[in-house]
Amino acid sequence: MFEKLESLAPDAIIGIMALFREDQDPRKVDLSVGVFQDEQGHTPVMACVKQAEREIIDAQTTKTYVGIAGNADFNRGMEALLLGADHPALRDARVATIQSPGGSGGLCVAGHLIHRAAPDTRVCLSNPSWPNHLPLLRLAGLKLELYPYYDPAKHVIDFGAMTACLENLGHGDVVLIHGCCHNPCGADLSPDQWRQLAELCERRGVTPFIDLAYQGLSEDLDADAYGARLMAELLPEVVIVASCSKNFGLYRERVGSVSVISSNAERSRAVATNLANVARGIYSMPPDHGAAIAGRVLHSPELRAQWVEELAGVRNRINGLRGLLVAKLAERGAPRDFSFIANERGMFSFLGISKEQVVRLREEFHVYMLESSRINLAGINNANVDYVADSIVAVL
Ligand SMILES: Cc1ncc(COP(=O)(O)O)c(C=O)c1O
């Protein structure tokens, strides 16, 4: 049976990670990984997470299933986090939320739900987008298309080309939008652009599907949900998938959610049963531990305050590194203006250099990034920033 299966080439990012591990040069720097790192290059467990974890383990008396929709406290906490506690969609009981195994599991459940509701739906993704969007949503059976998003020459969103393309969508189509901290380009929609996009979706009957994997890593928890909240206010139907991997640092615990806003409370109840039924058919029950932690942090005033502070530390570190790298490159007289990096948000930006320059950085300077020149700013620290800037200037 399996003799027909051929070995697949390793994922590009896994290949780069393996090259980095094998590299013995003490100057090596990894800007390819997709996780937050502190000044010591470590991805720490937040103190609020540790505390919640201790409390949960002490109080836990059973390991029986929690239920298909997952932890109810977590789901209510996520709804309030995403939409704001007094959002009209919540007041009108138009929001159905299910806990999911990470943002990836949430995208998978949402994809299957959309396909079940409307099998001919086209889902339009930004070009570029997170590479996993494509296989995850394709596996759900959805037809995928791309809309122009980032102009790599000008380092800005090509909003004119984006909206011109989306004008071709019609009733029943879906547009997937990164809620904030666009992965991979770091260029986010302004409030005015969100408004224009909401107006376009309303006029064309397009459903927004918002992937919010970095809430709190750009400006703050509320500002980063601006687009999702606006869409949920102005449009009858919106899908929001969230991940707690980055903002809680709960990567390996697999914590995320899917929230579907429907036009009325009755539809919302039907959606909730379908969300549970889709999840039942894929993995049956979500993992408990991570969502129990996030739920506890969201509900405890003390732990939440601590989380908000720790998350600000993560955000300020990344935004500070953006400014630092730009300043170091300018100090060295880099023959290009890299100031766009300071204006972008989240962990990622494209340096905008060629594949050959990326390879030279890796082979001659031991500085690793994706072939597209996407870097994770959090891989930079005070000890390596001069070396990184010298190396980039050397290959330009
Ligand atoms: C844009 C985007 N969406 C979703 C995810 C899903 O993350 P996870 O499945 O680890 O929660 C990621 C992770 O890198 C991401 O960058």
Side-chain angles (χ1 to χ4, degrees), residues 27 33 129 133 142 152 164 184 195 204 222 224 232 243 245 262 268 284 296 319 336 341 345 351 355 394:
R27 295 167 300 175
V33 290
S129 199
H133 277 148
L142 292 164
R195 249 175 209 287
R204 304 290 312 162
D222 289 323
D224 294 359
S243 165
S245 298
S262 303
S268 190
S284 188
R296 198 168 187 98
N319 288 341
R336 279 192 206 174
I341 293 177
R345 282 294 173 265
L351 273 184
K355 272 183 196 152

Side-chain angles (χ1 to χ4, degrees), residues 34 101-105 107 130 133 178 181 183 211 213-214 242-246 251 254-256 348:
S104 303
L107 289 164
W130 182 48
H133 277 148
H178 295 233
C181 303
N183 180 8
D211 182 0
Y214 300 90
S243 165
C244 300
S245 298
K246 314 282 154 76
Y251 307 87
R254 313 308 298 133
V255 195
F348 308 112

Side-chain angles (χ1 to χ4, degrees), residues 363-380:
E363 293 182 349
E364 285 179 38
F365 297 94
H366 312 274
V367 176
Y368 289 71
M369 64 194 65
L370 302 195
E371 214 178 53
S372 59
S373 85
R374 188 202 81 168
I375 58 168
N376 174 2
L377 275 297
I380 296 173

